[in-house]
Amino acid sequence: MKQRPNLARRVLPAAITFGLLAPAGFAPVAFGQQADGLVEEIITIGSRRAERSATDSSVPVDVISGDDFVNMGYADLDEMLRTTVPSYNVGRFSISDAATLVRPANLRGLPPDNILVLVNGKRRHRSGVIAELGGSLAAGSQGADISAIPPLAFRQTEILRDGAAAQYGSDAIAGVMNFVLKDDPDGFTFEARTGEFAEGDGNLTQFATNFGLPLGNDGFANITAQWMEQDPTSRSTQRTDAATLIASGNTAQRNSIRQPYAQIFGGPEFRDNWNIFINSGIRVSDTQEVYAHGNFGMRETEGGFFYRNPNSRGGVYTNGNTRAVVDTNLRGGESGYTSNCPALTSPGSGGSGTPLNAAAVAADEAALNSLPANCWVLNSVIPGGYTPQFGGGLKDSSIVMGVRGDINPNLTYDLSGGFGRNKVSFFLNNTWNPSLGPDGFVNGALQQDFDLGSYIQSEVNLNADFVYTMPVDGLASDLTIAFGAEWRDEIFETLIGEQNSWDAGRFAFQNNDGTNTYSDGVTPLPNLSIGAHGFAGFSPQQAGLWGRNNYALYTELEADLTDRLTGGLAVRFEDFETFGTTTNYKVAGRFLLTDNVSLRASYNTGFRAPTPGQENVTKVSTTTIDGELQQRGQIPPNNPIARFLGGQTLKPEDSNNFSVGVVWDVTPDINVTVDYFNIELTDRIAQTGTIEIGGRPVPDGVNCPLARANPAGNLAVCLQELGVPGAADLNSVSFYTNDFATTTEGIDIVATWDVDWGNAGSGSLVASWNNTQTEVDNAGSEVNRNRVVDLENFNPENRGVFSYNHFIGDVRLLARASYYDDWVAADFSGDATPRGADGTGYTISCANPAVNNYDDNCYDGEWIFDLEAAYTFNDSYTFVIGANNAFDQDAPLDIDNLDGTIGSGNTFTGSSPWGFEGAFYYARFRVDF
């Protein structure tokens, strides 16, 4: 590979202003060869040393080389980061709606959309997924989908653990992740991997390749392709009600319940998951380079939902204690109708307090078999209940192109434009649209599979960035001045689903005024749920396109003020067409106490703009609240009902970040960094808790005649009239709000040690520890008690990762120990009185569960161990075997499922920070040329 010293030596060092806080549009790493100055200043590449923190920068930066990722033992990028950066947390979710499709991660206790993701220094577009579920810390977030980036594609990853909105703009509050793509013009790598969990499921097959091609005499094209599939997993027990149904003597129910479990708690299935990344650059003159990088990929993911019991699921099988029998003779809008259909009492669900018995089951079966021809009930088609299967197909693409070079020896430029798009198309199988009743038959069979519609996130970025260096009398170095401008356009789009997925059939409002009854003249006919049950499709009223553009101007100054003191200042002005302007700044510095010890500190202001998706998304899904299945709605904060409940137009959340740290080079082979951080966030954007709306009156001024005619007069029916399919049977809603503030503080400790054992080989030890604590400073009435408790306690307060790689000849051995502290999953139902008037200060009694008046779920932490062994032969072929969670440490048993009152089927808690699926054993084969 050719060395490119002239341009690179001038451009690259300028890009490390404030420790890799280069302008958003500046991507110095796209050159085919790194300059020696960058290697010495920021990272160590091409060696075995696992030095991850950039010791000479003014802020903490973790640098993970491509070789480090290769030796990490994981196939998933999120898992690689979780086992490398202790403040990075991500779960593997079961039954979490869209969060199952794109896993939401958090850094330093803040959600995914507080983490700015870059590729080659360029802003990466967001995912189309808005994670309404997936853990309280990430609820409602819309971050980037980093799983679309194959680990084999990048040469290194740089993780800035500090606020950087003054450099990059919105989202850079918790930190910045920059994935630097490989730029080799030659070489070839192929890797095959297979594995499965100790339970014998979750089989993984993965193939990946990377190769470089020359472009002309001084250019490169580096291409990475990856394909993967993984089977689903199950860590379930049979639900109490399903087990009772099977044993109840009802042959039809026993045979139609899904076996071996009515409901699956486990990892989802990934099908045909492939991604291609291309990175390229070519020098067109001695002082100018044209570059481009981009990707295209797609995958399909499918997981389970909650089981629908045939004897108790309201709005589907039952209406209170009676069967939901519909009368096909009833005309829409008819009032005062007395049906000839009987009011059949359901024999019970088989859950706690509603036992089934043989006599009741036999009577129920006989009554269902003798219904008049015009009377219909779902039990005649699906007698054993059903479990919807939810999933989505994702397509991700991006392209960035630019030109950069020297205007003169002291002034460089980088002009670039980029486009990114992420589309997720939702589907729901093994369900139905209850409001259609018997009208839901298509070609002689009840329609049970639905296309629900799509979310699309697309972004355009244009950048003009310049770096000027100049000598200044009295300074120990040249003054680096970075300045530039950025224009962004962000669009969120909702596409409608097929009509039957959202349509309100003739049985949706057959008894809205309460006057239509069964043959007894007393028992009311039911109103059935609307839309594909579990996740209603997107209706024409929900469909739309919402956009926002903004522009920014920024400048940065950095220099060595003395031989021992480095200082920097950055200011950024940004104007958004929706909410106006914001100006942010950052000051940072580093002081060399001795030749081996330095201090670093920074203070910055920041912001995160609400996304168009968060401002406009509407959906209905099923979740479990206090152990019961309920329909839950997500509505825009400007919806009239949200306004009535306290919603307001979203505004940016603001932050103040402070960090201070020490860097100690103990010996040439031992390095220790300790950094304290404090992040104050006001006007935080997140989902409210679930707000009960059943039975609440319709507010004045809202046009909802059907809801006003309803005896209950509830808001759910009003939402249905306002265009939210499936809203009529909602129990609760949530929306986005700015109505709380938090303070997050903690300490990061990173120690690295390269050790030479002589004839016994050499090793590299990395020990890292993170302590993060979040306190909710105030919370409005829309943010409920459980949300507050989870924000403060859902993540383990302490996390540690200790990794050792040993090299002896052609053999490499890896051992890793990960520590997870205790954590709490809030689970209180009812009204809770806080200690303070600011909506915070809730008591948690984990230390003494006997007096845990709030029923919070308190879980113990654990040590998790990973092991790997690799052997390389003929210098090019490597065979690897390993085990993640090698000793098969289970997640804690789910507390809610231990008392026998809920019996929902989940064995282990889904809030486990190390997952719930146990040990994973794998083998991989790698070829390098």
Side-chain angles (χ1 to χ4, degrees):
M1 182 182 298
K2 293 184 178 180
Q3 185 77 20
R4 297 181 172 92
N6 296 332
L7 184 61
R9 285 185 182 274
R10 289 193 294 269
V11 174
L12 296 180
I16 61 171
T17 305
F18 304 100
L20 288 180
L21 296 184
F26 191 68
V29 291
F31 287 100
Q33 178 75 22
Q34 293 192 74
D36 293 341
L38 182 65
V39 174
E40 296 168 0
E41 191 88 22
I42 296 296
I43 57 177
T44 299
I45 292 179
S47 76
R48 294 176 178 162
R49 182 176 182 185
E51 183 184 62
R52 304 176 316 127
S53 291
T55 57
D56 291 337
S57 67
S58 299
V59 289
V61 179
D62 293 322
V63 179
I64 311 166
S65 73
D67 287 340
D68 290 334
F69 274 108
V70 167
N71 298 336
M72 210 162 282
Y74 282 92
D76 180 83
L77 182 55
D78 272 314
E79 299 293 339
M80 292 177 176
L81 292 169
R82 180 170 63 88
T83 54
T84 306
V85 182
S87 61
Y88 187 89
N89 289 275
V90 63
R92 184 165 157 88
F93 298 104
S94 174
I95 313 182
S96 295
D97 282 11
T100 306
L101 309 180
V102 177
R103 300 165 63 191
N106 59 83
L107 182 68
R108 287 185 162 182
L110 298 179
D113 46 13
N114 277 190
I115 309 169
L116 179 63
V117 177
L118 310 175
V119 174
N120 278 357
K122 308 297 181 180
R123 180 183 285 263
R124 175 89 175 151
H125 58 277
R126 303 180 196 278
S127 164
V129 167
I130 301 177
E132 285 88 359
L133 301 178
S136 290
L137 296 180
S141 61
Q142 188 184 2
D145 180 11
I146 67 170
S147 64
I149 308 174
L152 202 60
F154 46 83
R155 185 178 65 235
Q156 76 224 11
T157 299
E158 301 149 351
I159 302 176
L160 170 67
R161 293 179 276 112
D162 194 45
Q167 288 75 31
Y168 294 103
S170 178
D171 305 349
I173 292 178
V176 179
M177 294 193 300
N178 182 32
F179 296 94
V180 182
L181 300 177
K182 290 179 179 177
D183 50 15
D184 303 305
D186 52 28
F188 172 82
T189 297
F190 172 79
E191 185 172 284
R193 180 190 301 258
T194 185
E196 67 178 19
F197 287 93
E199 295 287 334
D201 56 9
N203 182 268
L204 170 74
T205 303
Q206 183 184 74
F207 301 100
T209 185
N210 171 266
F211 56 93
L213 300 171
L215 290 181
N217 295 325
D218 204 359
F220 70 94
N222 193 274
I223 302 170
T224 304
Q226 177 178 287
W227 178 89
M228 183 270 281
E229 286 193 343
Q230 186 169 19
D231 294 337
T233 62
S234 173
R235 300 296 176 267
S236 310
T237 55
Q238 188 60 282
R239 289 173 57 101
T240 303
D241 54 354
T244 305
L245 283 169
I246 292 172
S248 67
N250 187 318
T251 304
Q253 289 174 340
R254 179 169 63 248
N255 291 338
S256 64
I257 288 179
R258 191 180 198 178
Q259 298 292 336
Y261 305 113
Q263 180 172 312
I264 302 299
F265 279 88
E269 179 181 5
F270 295 92
R271 295 189 289 262
D272 203 20
N273 181 0
W274 60 271
N275 293 283
I276 297 176
F277 257 83
I278 301 176
N279 186 32
S280 64
I282 187 169
R283 187 181 299 277
V284 295
S285 72
D286 291 341
T287 61
Q288 190 174 73
E289 182 190 39
V290 176
Y291 62 89
H293 69 262
N295 80 287
F296 183 79
M298 59 195 309
R299 69 177 181 270
E300 188 172 270
T301 306
E302 182 176 354
F305 266 9
F306 292 98
Y307 171 65
R308 272 61 175 170
N309 188 289
N311 291 343
S312 62
R313 186 57 177 159
V316 178
Y317 281 103
T318 61
N319 182 36
N321 293 323
T322 61
R323 289 287 184 197
V325 180
V326 299
D327 186 345
T328 59
N329 291 333
L330 179 63
R331 297 182 298 274
E334 188 170 357
S335 298
Y337 178 84
T338 301
S339 171
N340 69 325
C341 299
L344 302 180
T345 301
S346 171
S349 68
S352 176
T354 56
L356 293 173
N357 58 72
V361 170
D364 177 63
E365 187 172 292
L368 291 175
N369 289 333
S370 60
L371 286 173
N374 63 297
C375 303
W376 186 89
V377 65
L378 180 62
N379 299 75
S380 64
V381 181
I382 312 176
Y386 58 95
T387 305
Q389 294 295 109
F390 172 77
L394 287 90
K395 292 183 179 180
D396 187 272
S397 58
S398 68
I399 180 67
V400 175
M401 302 180 68
V403 57
R404 59 171 158 248
D406 291 345
I407 296 176
N408 60 51
N410 297 322
L411 178 62
T412 67
Y413 67 92
D414 185 345
L415 308 177
S416 67
F419 172 77
R421 184 178 189 266
N422 186 278
K423 177 182 180 181
V424 53
S425 300
F426 302 104
F427 61 82
L428 192 65
N429 299 332
N430 198 46
T431 187
W432 74 310
N433 182 341
S435 70
L436 298 176
D439 300 337
F441 280 79
V442 177
N443 297 325
L446 183 67
Q447 182 180 0
Q448 292 192 263
D449 298 343
F450 299 89
D451 294 325
L452 306 176
S454 304
Y455 287 155
I456 302 175
Q457 174 76 16
S458 59
E459 301 175 25
V460 175
N461 292 273
L462 301 177
N463 295 87
D465 304 293
F466 303 88
V467 178
Y468 179 68
T469 59
M470 59 179 292
V472 176
D473 292 341
L475 296 183
S477 73
D478 288 346
L479 174 65
T480 298
I481 305 172
F483 57 96
E486 180 179 23
W487 182 86
R488 295 182 58 224
D489 186 63
E490 184 175 353
I491 295 175
F492 182 81
E493 186 175 3
T494 299
L495 303 182
I496 64 172
E498 62 173 293
Q499 182 170 343
N500 280 354
S501 74
W502 51 263
D503 198 14
R506 60 177 172 144
F507 303 105
F509 298 109
Q510 66 178 352
N511 195 18
N512 193 62
D513 63 1
T515 62
N516 297 332
T517 62
Y518 286 116
S519 58
D520 62 8
V522 177
T523 306
L525 291 175
N527 293 326
L528 297 188
S529 298
I530 301 170
H533 198 240
F535 193 116
F538 305 134
S539 69
Q541 294 94 332
Q542 291 173 275
L545 184 149
W546 303 273
R548 180 189 66 208
N549 62 63
N550 62 283
Y551 70 88
L553 303 171
Y554 71 88
T555 186
E556 303 177 16
L557 307 174
E558 195 263 348
D560 293 336
L561 305 180
T562 70
D563 290 338
R564 292 185 175 274
L565 178 63
T566 299
L569 171 68
V571 178
R572 185 183 184 96
F573 168 83
E574 200 137 359
D575 187 291
F576 288 80
E577 66 171 338
T578 52
F579 56 78
T581 65
T582 178
T583 301
N584 296 273
Y585 68 89
K586 179 166 187 168
V587 293
R590 173 179 174 270
F591 182 71
L592 190 63
L593 288 176
T594 71
D595 290 342
N596 299 323
V597 180
S598 60
L599 301 177
R600 58 190 182 191
S602 70
Y603 179 82
N604 63 85
T605 63
F607 75 102
R608 185 182 77 80
T611 72
Q614 290 172 326
E615 292 174 315
N616 296 283
V617 68
T618 302
K619 67 183 287 288
V620 173
S621 58
T622 305
T623 187
T624 178
I625 300 174
D626 304 328
E628 299 294 333
L629 287 185
Q630 295 187 10
Q631 292 293 95
R632 174 180 175 273
Q634 175 72 34
I635 58 178
N638 288 326
N639 181 287
I641 303 303
R643 290 279 193 180
F644 173 67
L645 297 172
Q648 298 180 353
T649 300
L650 294 179
K651 55 186 177 181
E653 56 188 22
D654 296 315
S655 71
N656 291 281
N657 291 47
F658 169 71
S659 69
V660 59
V662 59
V663 180
W664 181 21
D665 291 317
V666 183
T667 71
D669 296 322
I670 300 176
N671 171 265
V672 178
T673 65
V674 181
D675 292 279
Y676 165 82
F677 61 91
N678 184 289
I679 306 170
E680 294 183 355
L681 263 173
T682 58
D683 295 324
R684 277 192 66 168
I685 302 170
Q687 280 181 316
T688 64
T690 53
I691 301 175
E692 300 296 325
I693 62 172
R696 298 186 70 165
V698 179
D700 294 336
V702 179
N703 184 24
C704 292
L706 282 178
R708 294 186 187 281
N710 189 295
N714 62 50
L715 297 181
V717 176
C718 184
L719 278 173
Q720 178 73 48
E721 292 185 75
L722 293 175
V724 183
D729 61 340
L730 287 179
N731 304 95
S732 60
V733 298
S734 64
F735 48 86
Y736 291 95
T737 178
N738 291 98
D739 205 12
F740 68 106
T742 61
T743 297
T744 299
E745 63 178 345
I747 295 176
D748 287 317
I749 303 173
V750 179
T752 64
W753 180 26
D754 288 347
V755 56
D756 187 350
W757 300 104
N759 293 333
S762 61
S764 179
L765 173 67
V766 179
S768 52
W769 190 271
N770 168 259
N771 173 278
T772 298
Q773 302 177 54
T774 293
E775 181 175 346
V776 178
D777 300 319
N778 59 70
S781 58
E782 298 85 15
V783 183
N784 69 10
R785 184 262 178 196
N786 285 354
R787 179 86 166 117
V788 171
V789 171
D790 277 345
L791 285 165
E792 295 182 337
N793 302 279
F794 194 79
N795 265 359
E797 186 174 305
N798 291 285
R799 269 207 64 203
V801 180
F802 306 88
S803 298
Y804 178 72
N805 260 302
H806 186 78
F807 303 85
I808 179 169
D810 295 326
V811 176
R812 177 181 60 83
L813 302 173
L814 165 70
R816 179 189 299 114
S818 299
Y819 173 72
Y820 298 87
D821 203 356
D822 303 344
W823 76 97
V824 177
D827 192 36
F828 178 75
S829 59
D831 295 325
T833 303
R835 285 202 302 261
D838 57 2
T840 64
Y842 295 102
T843 301
I844 300 175
S845 303
C846 285
N848 187 356
V851 296
N852 186 356
N853 297 322
Y854 291 112
D855 297 322
D856 292 316
N857 296 339
C858 305
Y859 296 106
D860 295 331
E862 193 55 77
W863 286 90
I864 305 297
F865 297 91
D866 303 325
L867 300 173
E868 183 178 274
Y871 175 69
T872 300
F873 54 97
N874 292 338
D875 294 329
S876 298
Y877 306 95
T878 302
F879 181 71
V880 183
I881 59 172
N884 301 324
N885 190 359
F887 303 121
D888 199 19
Q889 177 61 54
D890 288 332
L893 296 176
D894 188 88
I895 292 175
D896 282 338
N897 212 35
L898 297 181
D899 56 13
T901 61
I902 298 175
S904 56
N906 52 320
T907 307
F908 306 110
T909 175
S911 66
S912 170
W914 65 84
F916 55 86
E917 294 162 293
F920 184 82
Y921 305 116
Y922 61 88
R924 58 189 176 100
F925 180 71
R926 181 182 174 103
V927 180
D928 291 285
F929 291 108

